[in-house]
Amino acid sequence: MELSKKELNILNEYGYAIINSNLKVEHRQFEKLLVQYFNTVLKEENGDQFELLDSMSNYHKVIQNSKIGHHDFIQKISRKLPDSFRHHMFVEKIISSCEEYLQCNLSITDNIVWFRLCRSMSDDSNDLHRDHWFPNYSDVLNLYVPISGSFADSAMKIVPKSHLWTDDEVVPTHGKGEKRIKNGIAYSAPGILYSKHEIITHRPDVMTGDFMIFNPRCVHGGGDNFSEYTRTSLEIRIELKK
């Protein structure tokens, strides 16, 4: 992606930046819709008497009482959200904020909005990795959009300035099409086999209604959650509109 001068000045040093979009009302509306979407599937699996979600932050409490376990539930519901979520005002305003910030016209890569869940006191996320190891993500920018439970002890980790590291300085565990097993679950994202640099992670403080934009070469992930809430976030990739 050909980045604007403003973006280069702000993002180039650390590889990421927090965008203060202050979309608190839209955030609440989006979370409510997401709760309804999850509850529809939970009700299908557990019946009318099952205690449903009242917020995404207590997902870990609800799923432990479900007939279907967490990983089977995620496989059933799919991390890829329906198109209606992509067209929600919250997502559309996030993209508009990115366009204003970067001073260019943008679209969502592959027209897909994903969600990620990391339960309380769990390590449900990918290990530290770089998205540019996936060839189709080498020319995009990533967005981390917290919906619930993103705090100093639970937010997704990122390694400042790691976007400046060469491919010889940080090497993945495997290539495209392969998977690695973690806690009995297969993950397509490679882990880090070798790094010339010391890996010091940071958990960004992204307030409700805001989001983080980051370079696909940044090492990120490994977001084990030590808070008492489920961390829910959106994973969106953006590119220049063609």
Side-chain angles (χ1 to χ4, degrees):
M1 178 182 290
E2 184 180 354
L3 304 176
S4 71
K5 185 174 181 180
K6 180 178 181 181
E7 193 277 341
L8 287 172
N9 289 339
I10 296 175
L11 291 185
N12 207 38
E13 182 175 1
Y14 292 101
Y16 66 93
I18 295 172
I19 309 299
N20 303 120
S21 52
N22 196 30
L23 299 172
K24 293 181 179 179
V25 173
E26 294 85 352
H27 171 276
R28 285 195 298 270
Q29 294 171 344
F30 187 93
E31 182 181 6
K32 183 177 180 180
L33 182 63
L34 193 61
V35 166
Q36 292 172 349
Y37 177 58
F38 269 60
N39 279 340
T40 298
V41 180
L42 286 168
K43 190 173 181 180
E44 288 174 358
E45 293 295 323
N46 297 282
D48 292 339
Q49 303 305 313
F50 184 73
E51 183 180 353
L52 298 174
L53 290 167
D54 57 14
S55 72
M56 293 307 302
S57 62
N58 71 344
Y59 164 83
H60 61 285
K61 294 180 180 179
V62 171
I63 199 66
Q64 68 183 3
N65 296 319
S66 172
K67 294 177 182 177
I68 184 172
H70 167 67
H71 295 293
D72 289 336
F73 176 78
I74 295 301
Q75 187 172 25
K76 178 178 177 60
I77 199 171
S78 171
R79 290 200 310 104
K80 185 189 301 185
L81 288 169
D83 284 346
S84 57
F85 287 87
R86 176 166 54 90
H87 296 299
H88 191 278
M89 185 178 297
F90 181 53
V91 174
E92 291 186 342
K93 286 190 175 183
I94 284 171
I95 302 306
S96 295
S97 295
C98 290
E99 290 181 325
E100 182 178 353
Y101 182 72
L102 300 174
Q103 294 296 297
C104 60
N105 294 321
L106 300 166
S107 60
I108 296 176
T109 301
D110 299 325
N111 288 323
I112 297 175
V113 174
W114 309 84
F115 74 82
R116 285 200 176 273
L117 290 179
C118 188
R119 293 166 293 168
S120 172
M121 305 307 294
S122 297
D123 183 9
D124 291 329
S125 61
N126 286 323
D127 287 341
L128 292 169
H129 63 282
R130 304 170 100 179
D131 274 13
H132 97 105
W133 285 336
F134 296 94
N136 53 323
Y137 292 154
S138 62
D139 196 31
V140 304
L141 287 171
N142 294 3
L143 304 182
Y144 169 70
V145 186
I147 302 299
S148 70
S150 183
F151 307 114
D153 55 355
S154 62
M156 184 194 76
K157 298 175 183 176
I158 194 163
V159 180
K161 301 187 179 183
S162 57
H163 66 303
L164 301 174
W165 301 350
T166 68
D167 288 336
D168 292 330
E169 293 173 328
V170 56
V171 179
T173 54
H174 62 268
K176 181 182 178 182
E178 300 177 61
K179 293 183 181 291
R180 64 194 305 265
I181 304 299
K182 174 182 172 183
N183 300 328
I185 305 299
Y187 290 86
S188 58
I192 294 175
L193 178 65
Y194 162 79
S195 175
K196 177 181 177 181
H197 301 271
E198 182 181 8
I199 296 178
I200 301 175
T201 61
H202 169 65
R203 293 189 192 259
D205 184 16
V206 186
M207 303 299 290
T208 299
D210 298 338
F211 62 95
M212 179 175 73
I213 185 170
F214 63 101
N215 190 299
R217 299 183 68 90
C218 276
V219 173
H220 66 284
D224 41 354
N225 181 0
F226 298 105
S227 79
E228 60 182 302
Y229 305 102
T230 291
R231 184 188 79 229
T232 312
S233 60
L234 301 183
E235 178 181 297
I236 305 173
R237 295 176 178 88
I238 56 174
E239 58 188 36
L240 287 174
K241 185 173 288 188
K242 297 173 183 177

